[in-house]
Amino acid sequence: MKQRNNIGTWIGFVLIMVWCLLPVVWIISLSFKSVEETAGGSPQFLPKDPTLDNYRDILSNGDFLAALRNSFGIALIATFLAVVFATLAAYAIARLEFKGKRLVLSLALAIAMFPVVSLVGPLFDMWRTFGLFNTWPGLVIPYMSFTLPLAIWTLTAFFREIPWEMEQAAQVDGATSWQAFRKVIVPLAAPGVFTAAILTFFFAWNEFVLAISLTSTTGSRTVPAQLSYFVGPDPFNPPYGQLATASVVVTVPIIVIVLLFQRKIVAGLTSGAVKG
Amino acid sequence: MAAIEMKNIVKQYGDGFPAVNDVSIDVEDGEFLILVGPSGCGKSTLLRMIVGLEDITDGDMVIGGKKVNDLAPRERNLSMVFQNYALYPHLTVYENIAFPLRLAGKSDSEVDEKVREASKTLELDEHLERKPGNLSGGQRQRVAMGRAIVRDAEAFLFDEPLSNLDAKLRGQMRTEISRLQKRLGITTVYVTHDQTEAMTLGDRVAVLKRGVLQQHATPRELYENPANLFVAGFIGSPPMNFLPAKVDGNRVELPFGTVTIPEDRAAKAQGKDLLIAGIRPEHFEDASVVDSDKVTDEATFKATVDVVEWLGNEAYAYIPFEAPDEVRKQLAQLEKDLDGESLRTQLVVSLDGASRISEGDEATIWVDARKIHLFDPATGENLTIDADNAGIIPGGNAMAKAEEVGKEQDEVKPSAESSAT
Ligand SMILES: Nc1ncnc2c1ncn2[C@@H]1O[C@H](COP(=O)(O)OP(=O)(O)O)[C@@H](O)[C@H]1O
Ligand SMILES: [Mg+2]
């Protein structure tokens, strides 16, 4: 019985892995194929003649490097700000009794449900007027706003889990409210903070609609938007190899970040705080 | 170290719930004070007002001669052990204990010295590098104490520190806390709902009911001279027996017979019709094992024993009796106030281990008539109290006042008793 369960689990596991990873492997394989091979019309899974040319080209492409820099800068700043604001807001929501608390939470949820596309027009006009069009802040601000709600909800849930006594104990031990927050509450909410950070970073890193609409030069265009300009000289023959290579290059940081943060997201960190 | 004076302290929660009502208690420098009462009576609330985690609605909180009503917890320099310990799970035992010192900006060498000293006192040396999550209940308890004793606080506050431990460990830790307090000689306020802890630990004990102070006295005074039915029923295990009684001169008529009580006691109870007599189980005895010169008709009665529990050194005999409605209602209410369940219309008698009384016997029981207390069923007051040896009893009728407050509390929160923490 147990054995059969095991086998079933494995079959399911393999199916899901193939389903998810096949496109990824396909892209990686593409990135090692030469232009002749991708344009040749007889595709095969593995490259006939693996080459690093695509990588060499991409990494010497000034526009791509500029976009990469923009992506990193904008995503990191947006993540940092969103997490800081969300932490403070979530803490207030979890701990304080104030009028309109429910309203704040519902409003946050409403914002999260708002379709991004519908804001492109107004934002475009506004940013033109404010001089934020085609600047880093021009993307940082909307990214932050769109990820804040989710971050606030995630963190509020985490803060609610932390026994209030923790903080009171810290205050009795001589901590100011701020010290209690920083030395006790934030470390305990760390898994929540990292979760929120990852979600925000993903959103900012992958976002396309705003990135393409609110930028006009490589001065602030991010990678997803920049990729759409990879058309090559021949409109009938897009540089598939290069597009695949760029995709691989932008995916690597995401994987690295997830692996890094995953170690921090240790469940059950609060166990042992109180009786048990 | 400092004395703590609570002057007419009132706490009304935001929802209008009157949790603490006009409580005045002085804790002397170095004294071990116990706050005791059934759950939900406002003990924790009072403690949290001392430490500053709860605002004081009215009255003065004076610590070391300084009014602290408006000071934040960290400005009061008190240390507290929480019911659930509230250890910091992300820090090692060492850092947990060091936490208050680090906040105070002490140098590393000083921190190390003090932490090691505390950990030695509490036998935590081999656990210093572990995280609280990997410790047993008793060890966590000691870490919480370590965090409290590591700095020179004005006073220690404990909120039911032993309630999460098993019975054996509880006994050990109780002795440990007592020893530690004696050695450090630091003012201590200790909250518990357990009367055994109250009796064994406290220099003095303050009994609360529904946020109203009932009596503030030494354990012996509480035991021998309870101010009212509530205190009498709360202190002592097994609890005091309450029987309907009629007084005529110095003769008291009990359900089983009539006994003669001392003149001075009888004098205080004249002119009332029905009273409640309170007699502790150990003030009864099997007449056959009592010195024969003590056994007189005035002090013995015959009754049929229902159940006997023999424990070796002593035995408990249970004798059912009938009580008039008036008394029964009062007793039922009392039982409820004391967190009890059964309708106690049986007499519990503690007998010498040598007694041969067994179940179903018609036994001759001797009662020590000098120790009988008489209570007014209407107000619950102890009529036969020896006021000089009863500590501090708040003016007015504390039990009736608690009753009144109780009604108010039930209006705000109908399920107050069950939701208490
Ligand atoms: N924050 C609060 N708001 C309203 N009522 C409260 C609050 N905290 C406690 N209470 C009520 O006050 C009463 C006393 O509580 P507490 O001091 O914790 O009792 P205990 O004597 O068991 O420690 C309880 O009935 C409880 O329901
Ligand atoms: Mg309590």
Side-chain angles (χ1 to χ4, degrees):
Chain A
M1 187 70 199
K2 192 149 192 239
Q3 196 60 28
R4 208 170 64 209
N5 262 348
N6 245 338
I7 291 169
T9 313
W10 273 101
I11 293 176
F13 179 70
V14 169
L15 276 178
I16 291 174
M17 287 305 278
V18 169
W19 175 264
C20 294
L21 288 184
L22 201 62
V24 178
V25 178
W26 177 240
I27 285 180
I28 294 175
S29 144
L30 259 181
S31 73
F32 289 107
K33 291 181 180 171
S34 63
V35 186
E36 294 77 45
E37 204 179 324
T38 55
S42 58
Q44 55 190 35
F45 194 78
L46 292 176
K48 249 187 248 155
D49 182 16
T51 158
L52 283 175
D53 283 354
N54 288 324
Y55 286 90
R56 217 167 285 137
D57 288 353
I58 274 287
L59 292 180
S60 58
N61 179 332
D63 285 354
F64 180 77
L65 291 182
L68 208 54
R69 200 169 51 236
N70 292 334
S71 268
F72 263 115
I74 290 169
L76 285 177
I77 294 172
T79 303
F80 176 76
L81 291 178
V83 166
V84 169
F85 286 139
T87 307
L88 297 176
Y91 179 72
I93 289 167
R95 282 289 188 261
L96 305 178
E97 278 308 325
F98 57 88
K99 276 215 171 71
K101 187 158 124 176
R102 278 173 172 265
L103 190 74
V104 171
L105 273 176
S106 333
L107 219 62
L109 203 62
I111 294 175
M113 292 192 283
F114 218 83
V116 178
V117 189
S118 64
L119 282 178
V120 170
L123 268 180
F124 181 78
D125 278 346
M126 255 166 71
W127 274 195
R128 298 277 294 212
T129 321
F130 294 157
L132 286 174
F133 181 75
N134 197 27
T135 61
W136 277 20
L139 285 181
V140 167
I141 294 170
Y143 288 176
M144 192 180 81
S145 322
F146 280 115
T147 49
L148 258 180
L150 193 59
I152 289 177
W153 276 78
T154 317
L155 282 167
T156 304
F158 267 90
F159 282 136
R160 288 216 172 109
E161 287 281 297
I162 300 173
W164 202 338
E165 276 189 352
M166 291 283 85
E167 202 179 343
Q168 295 178 336
Q171 285 183 14
V172 172
D173 281 343
T176 59
S177 301
W178 172 246
Q179 282 173 319
F181 177 67
R182 199 167 51 84
K183 299 201 174 190
V184 176
I185 301 303
V186 172
L188 289 181
V193 173
F194 285 113
T195 310
I198 287 184
L199 290 174
T200 312
F201 188 85
F202 281 6
F203 178 86
W205 186 257
N206 292 330
E207 208 282 332
F208 175 73
V209 176
L210 292 171
I212 193 98
S213 322
L214 299 179
T215 58
S216 57
T217 67
T218 50
S220 61
R221 195 181 288 138
T222 58
V223 173
Q226 185 64 33
L227 284 188
S228 67
Y229 288 90
F230 273 33
V231 285
D234 177 0
F236 296 106
N237 260 328
Y240 292 121
Q242 287 215 1
L243 278 171
T245 313
S247 300
V248 171
V249 172
V250 294
T251 311
V252 169
I254 295 271
I255 292 174
V256 170
I257 283 171
V258 168
L259 290 181
L260 275 184
F261 281 179
Q262 203 176 26
R263 312 187 124 198
K264 302 272 183 189
I265 307 174
V266 193
L269 200 68
T270 52
S271 68
V274 294
K275 68 167 169 171
Chain B
M1 269 163 273
I4 301 172
E5 297 161 66
M6 292 166 242
K7 296 182 183 159
N8 307 97
I9 296 290
V10 175
K11 174 68 190 186
Q12 187 147 22
Y13 277 113
D15 55 3
F17 189 89
V20 173
N21 300 280
D22 198 15
V23 169
S24 300
I25 300 173
D26 283 351
V27 192
E28 284 163 21
D29 195 355
E31 186 180 353
F32 199 136
L33 175 88
I34 307 277
L35 291 176
V36 73
S39 90
C41 72
K43 310 173 296 283
S44 298
T45 305
L46 191 54
L47 195 74
R48 293 162 59 81
M49 285 195 282
I50 299 176
V51 79
L53 292 172
E54 211 73 71
D55 288 335
I56 297 167
T57 311
D58 199 15
D60 289 338
M61 185 67 69
V62 180
I63 300 175
K66 196 169 74 172
K67 185 175 159 185
V68 299
N69 284 38
D70 299 320
L71 296 187
R74 78 196 146 86
E75 295 162 318
R76 300 190 189 191
N77 191 24
L78 304 171
S79 57
M80 176 157 170
V81 174
F82 289 78
Q83 183 167 5
N84 291 331
Y85 318 142
L87 302 177
Y88 310 121
H90 59 299
L91 300 177
T92 58
V93 168
Y94 183 100
E95 285 304 326
N96 260 285
I97 298 177
F99 194 79
L101 301 174
R102 299 237 188 262
L103 285 172
K106 297 275 196 288
S107 71
D108 277 353
S109 59
E110 195 177 343
V111 168
D112 195 62
E113 183 191 328
K114 294 215 157 141
V115 171
R116 303 240 170 241
E117 195 186 312
S119 96
K120 207 166 115 213
T121 311
L122 293 161
E123 290 170 21
L124 283 168
D125 284 342
E126 67 254 57
H127 307 300
L128 283 177
E129 296 314 317
R130 296 169 75 187
K131 292 269 175 74
N134 306 326
L135 299 180
S136 72
Q139 290 163 343
R140 286 181 202 175
Q141 167 67 49
R142 291 203 303 250
V143 177
M145 301 234 312
R147 195 170 65 183
I149 64 169
V150 77
R151 71 203 157 102
D152 305 314
E154 302 277 0
F156 288 162
L157 307 173
F158 292 86
D159 192 353
E160 310 213 12
L162 307 183
S163 61
N164 287 326
L165 303 180
D166 58 52
K168 182 155 168 263
L169 208 50
R170 205 179 304 153
Q172 286 171 5
M173 286 308 294
R174 199 171 65 209
T175 330
E176 201 54 45
I177 290 178
S178 176
R179 191 174 298 141
L180 200 64
Q181 197 271 344
K182 296 261 151 33
R183 215 188 72 201
L184 301 172
I186 192 165
T187 315
T188 302
V189 181
Y190 184 107
V191 163
T192 179
H193 66 263
D194 181 83
Q195 65 94 26
T196 317
E197 276 173 36
M199 297 293 278
T200 50
L201 283 173
D203 293 328
R204 283 195 295 169
V205 178
V207 184
L208 292 174
K209 179 193 179 194
R210 297 276 198 169
V212 179
L213 181 63
Q214 301 293 310
Q215 190 171 8
H216 174 200
T218 63
R220 182 176 291 276
E221 287 168 337
L222 285 182
Y223 192 78
E224 291 177 350
N225 276 303
N228 55 41
L229 274 177
F230 179 80
V231 177
F234 193 81
I235 301 291
S237 169
M240 188 184 263
N241 292 294
F242 296 116
L243 307 165
K246 282 208 173 85
V247 178
D248 181 16
N250 60 353
R251 295 177 59 75
V252 179
E253 189 191 321
L254 298 170
F256 309 101
T258 306
V259 296
T260 307
I261 60 169
E263 294 282 351
D264 57 327
R265 289 201 164 213
K268 294 182 193 163
Q270 293 306 315
K272 308 261 179 180
D273 183 30
L274 190 61
L275 297 176
I276 293 178
I279 314 171
R280 296 210 178 270
E282 65 272 28
H283 294 148
F284 292 99
E285 191 51 87
D286 176 357
S288 64
V289 300
V290 179
D291 297 341
S292 53
D293 57 329
K294 277 202 208 161
V295 181
T296 59
D297 277 350
E298 269 92 72
T300 56
F301 61 85
K302 282 194 181 315
T304 308
V305 174
D306 192 20
V307 175
V308 178
E309 292 170 356
W310 189 74
L311 302 170
N313 62 335
E314 61 180 345
Y316 293 120
Y318 297 85
I319 305 170
F321 66 86
E322 289 300 319
D325 270 352
E326 193 185 340
V327 173
R328 189 160 28 205
K329 229 189 276 157
Q330 174 72 284
L331 292 183
Q333 178 60 38
L334 184 66
E335 193 65 29
K336 210 168 121 237
D337 291 342
L338 294 170
D339 283 352
E341 274 145 30
S342 67
L343 281 183
R344 207 191 311 140
T345 56
Q346 60 177 0
L347 188 66
V348 183
V349 174
S350 156
L351 303 173
D352 193 282
S355 165
R356 292 284 166 178
I357 293 176
S358 59
E359 285 171 21
D361 285 358
E362 159 118 320
T364 307
I365 306 280
W366 172 80
V367 53
D368 188 348
R370 293 163 304 167
K371 303 280 175 63
I372 296 179
H373 287 285
L374 292 168
F375 300 89
D376 184 335
T379 64
E381 264 176 304
N382 185 353
L383 300 170
T384 50
I385 196 165
D386 172 8
D388 295 335
N389 292 308
I392 300 162
I393 301 171
N397 185 328
M399 208 171 142
K401 205 170 136 204
E403 213 70 37
E404 250 168 66
V405 171
K407 287 207 189 86
E408 238 177 281
Q409 291 188 340
D410 290 341
E411 262 165 44
V412 180
K413 234 184 274 180
S415 60
E417 272 161 310
S418 54
S419 70
T421 45

